Amino acid sequence: MNISYLEEKTKLIPCTPHNIESELIETFKAQILSNDKAQRMAEFFSLLGDSNRLRILSVLAQQELCVCDLAATLDMSESAVSHQLRTLKVMRLVAYQKRGRKVFYRLLDHHVLELYRSVAEHLEETD
């Protein structure tokens, strides 16, 4: 095989914008996520990649509960539920309120509930 032939076949053809006005390109660039925000969003979504956290959110989307009730509902230890709740709290997905000796958890706000419901609805759609 001729090396120059391979080199010729693998040369990259430079890409140039296709009939897009430079003003439109600048508009697109202005709407791109910043690196910092993209990183924070990636961390947020990776946090939701844990099935136990999603199960906890699914229960809290219905009602606020204390750790012991969450643990019983999910067949998990209280320690495991508490650990997941700490992570969810740091990411501002859940809030808590002390009532006597118990701590009750709930979804932090409507954004979290809407996100949960949107993903659940999306997964239920059929092609």
Side-chain angles (χ1 to χ4, degrees):
M1 235 183 245
N2 187 346
I3 293 177
S4 61
Y5 173 76
L6 283 176
E7 289 174 348
E8 189 66 32
K9 290 298 267 183
T10 59
K11 279 187 181 175
L12 296 176
I13 300 169
C15 180
T16 56
H18 302 291
N19 300 323
I20 298 178
E21 295 178 22
S22 61
E23 290 178 17
L24 190 55
I25 290 175
E26 292 305 314
T27 300
F28 291 154
K29 286 182 179 182
Q31 295 173 359
I32 295 173
L33 288 174
S34 69
N35 286 334
D36 179 57
K37 189 169 185 177
Q39 180 62 39
R40 290 184 318 178
M41 288 177 73
E43 290 170 3
F44 178 88
F45 283 114
S46 70
L47 171 86
L48 295 179
D50 182 275
S51 61
N52 285 325
R53 289 186 201 120
L54 288 173
R55 293 176 67 224
I56 290 169
L57 291 178
S58 74
V59 173
L60 295 179
Q62 306 302 313
Q63 180 177 338
E64 72 174 34
L65 289 173
C66 65
V67 173
C68 58
D69 290 340
L70 275 167
T73 301
L74 297 167
D75 292 323
M76 295 173 63
S77 70
E78 289 183 29
S79 175
V81 169
S82 291
H83 174 74
Q84 298 298 349
L85 286 168
R86 273 192 300 279
T87 302
L88 293 169
K89 189 172 67 168
V90 166
M91 290 303 289
R92 298 179 21 231
L93 293 173
V94 298
Y96 69 93
Q97 180 180 24
K98 290 185 178 185
R99 293 187 204 145
R101 298 180 70 197
K102 291 189 177 185
V103 178
F104 286 81
Y105 287 84
R106 60 178 171 76
L107 296 183
L108 183 62
D109 60 28
H110 69 94
H111 296 107
V112 177
L113 182 58
E114 289 171 11
L115 177 63
Y116 170 80
R117 287 182 177 162
S118 292
V119 171
E121 182 180 310
H122 173 71
L123 293 175
E124 291 173 3
E125 291 176 355
T126 57
D127 293 332

